[in-house]
Amino acid sequence: MKGALLSQPANPGARILAVGGARGDRLVTNAELAGPIDSSDEWIRSRTGIATRARAADDQSMLDLAEAASRAALAAAGLGPDQLDLVILGSITHFLQTPAAAPQLATRLGASGAAAFDISAACAGYCYGIGLADCLVRSGAATHVLVVGADKLSEMVDPTDRTISFLLGDGAGAAVVGPSERPRIGPAVWGSDGAQAGRVGQDIDYRQAVAGGVWPTLRQDGPSVYKWAVFEISKAARAAIAAAGLTPDQIEVFLPHQANLRIIEQQVKRIGLSPEVIVARDIVETGNTSAASVPLATERLLRDDPQIGGKLALQLGFGAGLAYAAQVVELPPAGHRQPTAGGPATPFD
Ligand SMILES: CC(C)(COP(=O)(O)OP(=O)(O)OC[C@H]1O[C@@H](n2cnc3c(N)ncnc32)[C@H](O)[C@@H]1OP(=O)(O)O)[C@@H](O)C(=O)NCCC(=O)NCCS
């Protein structure tokens, strides 16, 4: 007779314990970029809301940014790296197909031995990662998961491109997800549409790059992606609010992908969020940092207004794939928790 399989004990819920962020040091102005694309500070501000974008120095890599954000999140969570059992990294600027970047990040942090893998869901990568972490913690498959969105997009920009390059910045945002005595991360409403893969993404693959002797860049069909972001993604956001058992007026903080301030303002209306909702506008200074965008927006709001800790926030990631993910989360408290000394993690700590 065959034996019965054992399963891991499940947790009643999961939550974001803390977030951390790191941005490129240099704030690049619109005026610096406008010349080669026949644009202007006024056009970029009025069409996108961007005043500057954060860009990293040549010697600061995507992994350096990811490490800095992760260390900040771990410190704020009061956890040691040895308490992580999984690292999930969302990025489109790790220029190796294999090995993945997440194991290197885990090793840099001192979480050697933790399970670690990359996900490629572009600007939806962080929200995909939070959805995965929530499921894994609730199932008992993991106790503490580090979810990181990190991109150094300046390594892919084309200064003569008017479709997307002028929007892009460099940064990383990280969250530590752990067990909770009740659900504090709502169900992910996520999806994709590969039929529209050509709307936004890398222009050529690496075989074409080698053959042509040119480095790949990003391109988008801005107006069609804009409409998708406003109309289709707002529907997904409403579905995520409903899946959490809430109504749009109960959302206190809106954390959308920082792609365009006009998209964000349209989404507020179409989702039906309250006029009092606190809206993340990190894009104005940081620009679009792809996978880092939602966690960096969260990090800034918690830093600027610690009172928002504990509030109900709608996270919304969308971009190349096309891919999107939305979920409602209870924000972690701002500031630092008491460090624990390593060893086995306390349930619901
Ligand atoms: C890229 C984006 C900012 C362009 O703004 P837009 O308002 O849609 O602009 P359009 O492409 O319709 O062009 C409008 C006019 O501005 C011009 N224009 C386009 N890009 C320009 C630029 N970078 N600088 C100056 N002028 C520009 C066009 O030539 C056009 O001129 P015309 O009216 O004389 O023909 C916008 O479409 C966008 O943000 N798209 C979605 C981004 C997104 O969500 N991406 C997915 C996640 S990364």
Side-chain angles (χ1 to χ4, degrees), residues 26-45 48 50-56 153-170 283-288:
R26 201 165 86 80
L27 295 181
V28 176
T29 65
N30 294 333
E32 286 180 67
L33 305 180
I37 56 172
D38 187 21
S39 192
S40 65
D41 177 49
E42 195 280 329
W43 191 96
I44 296 172
R45 276 180 200 258
T48 71
I50 296 173
T52 58
R53 68 286 294 137
R55 289 196 176 163
L153 296 167
S154 62
E155 292 189 338
M156 286 195 89
V157 300
D158 168 2
T160 66
D161 164 61
R162 309 175 106 195
T163 73
I164 194 166
S165 285
F166 65 102
L167 307 171
L168 305 176
D170 302 332
I283 186 171
V284 175
E285 184 177 293
T286 307
N288 177 349

Side-chain angles (χ1 to χ4, degrees), residues 13 24 29 41 47 49 51 63 67 87 107-108 122 144 157 165 191 199 202 255 262 279 288 301 312 331 336 349:
T29 65
D41 177 49
R47 292 287 180 143
L63 266 174
E67 181 183 347
V87 175
T107 298
R108 282 182 178 214
H144 290 120
V157 300
S165 285
R199 301 269 184 221
Q202 191 170 319
L255 301 169
R262 285 161 59 221
V279 179
N288 177 349
L301 276 187
L312 288 172
L331 288 174
H336 285 56
D349 179 26

Side-chain angles (χ1 to χ4, degrees), residues 60-72:
Q60 190 174 32
S61 68
M62 179 278 286
L63 266 174
D64 293 335
L65 292 163
E67 181 183 347
S70 302
R71 288 191 185 282

Side-chain angles (χ1 to χ4, degrees), residues 34 37-40 43-44 46-48 122-123 153 161-164 166-168 199-200 218 220-230 257-263 267 288 290 318-320 322:
I37 56 172
D38 187 21
S39 192
S40 65
W43 191 96
I44 296 172
S46 63
R47 292 287 180 143
T48 71
C123 309
L153 296 167
D161 164 61
R162 309 175 106 195
T163 73
I164 194 166
F166 65 102
L167 307 171
L168 305 176
R199 301 269 184 221
V200 52
L218 298 171
Q220 71 171 342
D221 173 11
S224 72
V225 179
Y226 188 107
K227 288 188 197 101
W228 172 74
V230 170
H257 172 43
Q258 304 289 295
N260 184 318
L261 204 52
R262 285 161 59 221
I263 293 176
Q267 287 172 336
N288 177 349
S290 192
F318 55 89
L322 299 175

Side-chain angles (χ1 to χ4, degrees), residues 180-207:
S180 170
E181 76 294 351
R182 62 179 172 81
R184 295 177 203 238
I185 298 175
V189 168
W190 48 7
S192 70
D193 182 2
Q196 298 198 65
R199 301 269 184 221
V200 52
Q202 191 170 319
D203 62 342
I204 52 171
D205 68 30
Y206 292 110
R207 289 166 305 180

Side-chain angles (χ1 to χ4, degrees), residues 330-342:
E330 195 178 298
L331 288 174
H336 285 56
R337 293 154 61 92
Q338 286 302 311
T340 53

Side-chain angles (χ1 to χ4, degrees), residues 244-265:
L246 300 168
T247 52
D249 57 297
Q250 291 177 286
I251 298 299
E252 298 168 290
V253 179
F254 183 37
L255 301 169
H257 172 43
Q258 304 289 295
N260 184 318
L261 204 52
R262 285 161 59 221
I263 293 176
I264 294 172
E265 280 155 10

